[in-house]
C-alpha cells in the first residue's frame, strides 16, 4: 500500500483487516489527534492526552466495520477525541474532589496535598463559557480556538465558506468575552 494513498483507499484496506493500512493512517493522524487532546486537556491536572490519543485509535480499529470514510477520517477522529477528552476531564475532576475529600477527613498527622494546576479556575470558566455557546458557534470555536485550526481548515471541515467561519468565530469570541467578563474571569 502506498503511503500517499487517500484516506478512503486506506480505509477500504483497513476494513479488510489490513494492519499496514491502519498503521499508515495512524502515522498520518496520530500527531494531530495528540495535539487536539493536549489542547482540550490543557490546564487539567493529571490529564493524559497520550492515553486519549491511543484510545481514539483503539476505538477506530475496534469499530472499523461500522465507520464510514468518504473523504477523510479526521472528522471522525476529532469527534471521538472530543468525547474522550470530556470523559478524561470529568475523571480528573473526580480525582481532584476525592483528594480534597481525603485531605479533609485525614487525621492531623497525615498531609494530603491536592494537585492544582495553575489557572484551573480560568480554564474551568472558559470550559463553562464554551459549553454555553450555541451549537454552531461552539463547533467553530472548538476548531479554531481549541484545536487551533486556521480559518480555511475550519471552513473545509465544516464545508462552509471562510467568510461564514469568520462571522461565526466573531460571534463566538464576543459571546465568550461577554460570559467571561460577566463572571469575573477576564477584565473589560
Amino acid at each position: 500500500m502506498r503511503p500517499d494513498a487517500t484516506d478512503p483507499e486506506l480505509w477500504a484496506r483497513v476494513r479488510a483487516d489490513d494492519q499496514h493500512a491502519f498503521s499508515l493512517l495512524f502515522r498520518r493522524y496520530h500527531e494531530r489527534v495528540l495535539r487536539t487532546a493536549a489542547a482540550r486537556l490543557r490546564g487539567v491536572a493529571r490529564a493524559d492526552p497520550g492515553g486519549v490519543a491511543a484510545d481514539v485509535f483503539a476505538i477506530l480499529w475496534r469499530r472499523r466495520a461500522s465507520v464510514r470514510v468518504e473523504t477523510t477520517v479526521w472528522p471522525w477522529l476529532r469527534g471521538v477525541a472530543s468525547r474522550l477528552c470530556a470523559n478524561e476531564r470529568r475523571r480528573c475532576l473526580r480525582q481532584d474532589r476525592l483528594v480534597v475529600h481525603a485531605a479533609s477527613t485525614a487525621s492531623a498527622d497525615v498531609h494530603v496535598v491536592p494537585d492544582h494546576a495553575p489557572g484551573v479556575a480560568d480554564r474551568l470558566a472558559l470550559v463553562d463559557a464554551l459549553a454555553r455557546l450555541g451549537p454552531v458557534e461552539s463547533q467553530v470555536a472548538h476548531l479554531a480556538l481549541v484545536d487551533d485550526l486556521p480559518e480555511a481548515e475550519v471552513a473545509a471541515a465544516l464545508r462552509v465558506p471562510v467568510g461564514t467561519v469568520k462571522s461565526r468565530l466573531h460571534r463566538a469570541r464576543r459571546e465568550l468575552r461577554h460570559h467571561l467578563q460577566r463572571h469575573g474571569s477576564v477584565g473589560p
Side-chain angles (χ1 to χ4, degrees):
M1 175 103 326
R2 306 177 337 265
D4 63 338
T6 65
D7 285 8
E9 291 170 336
L10 289 173
W11 193 248
R13 300 293 310 149
V14 168
R15 290 187 64 155
D17 296 334
D18 185 337
Q19 292 180 2
H20 177 66
F22 186 79
S23 72
L24 290 173
L25 281 173
F26 177 84
R27 283 188 291 242
R28 185 175 290 173
Y29 289 104
H30 178 261
E31 187 62 34
R32 198 169 179 185
V33 170
L34 185 59
R35 279 194 319 268
T36 298
R40 293 202 176 192
L41 294 172
R42 191 174 296 126
V44 178
R46 290 187 292 279
D48 181 16
V52 168
D55 288 346
V56 167
F57 286 97
I59 291 169
L60 180 63
W61 179 256
R62 278 195 318 267
R63 295 188 182 168
R64 65 189 175 277
S66 63
V67 173
R68 302 285 179 243
V69 174
E70 293 177 17
T71 57
T72 176
V73 73
W74 173 242
W76 189 92
L77 293 170
R78 186 185 63 237
V80 172
S82 295
R83 287 185 288 283
L84 291 178
C85 284
N87 292 344
E88 179 74 357
R89 178 180 305 285
R90 285 190 296 273
R91 182 190 66 78
C92 291
L93 290 174
R94 277 193 307 270
Q95 282 183 345
D96 287 347
R97 285 193 301 270
L98 180 62
V99 167
V100 169
H101 176 72
S104 67
T105 60
S107 65
D109 59 331
V110 176
H111 298 288
V112 178
V113 179
D115 181 16
H116 292 283
V120 170
D122 287 341
R123 182 71 180 169
L124 291 175
L126 180 59
V127 167
D128 181 53
L130 283 168
R132 292 174 185 275
L133 290 175
V136 171
E137 287 80 13
S138 176
Q139 194 175 33
V140 170
H142 273 284
L143 292 172
L145 304 176
V146 178
D147 293 346
D148 200 28
L149 293 179
E151 291 170 345
E153 284 188 38
V154 174
L158 298 177
R159 295 184 176 135
V160 297
V162 175
T164 301
V165 168
K166 288 180 179 183
S167 63
R168 289 177 182 175
L169 190 54
H170 174 75
R171 277 194 309 271
R173 284 182 173 135
R174 186 181 63 225
E175 289 177 31
L176 288 171
R177 188 179 314 107
H178 179 71
H179 177 78
L180 293 173
Q181 285 174 343
R182 208 173 47 237
H183 291 86
S185 297
V186 294

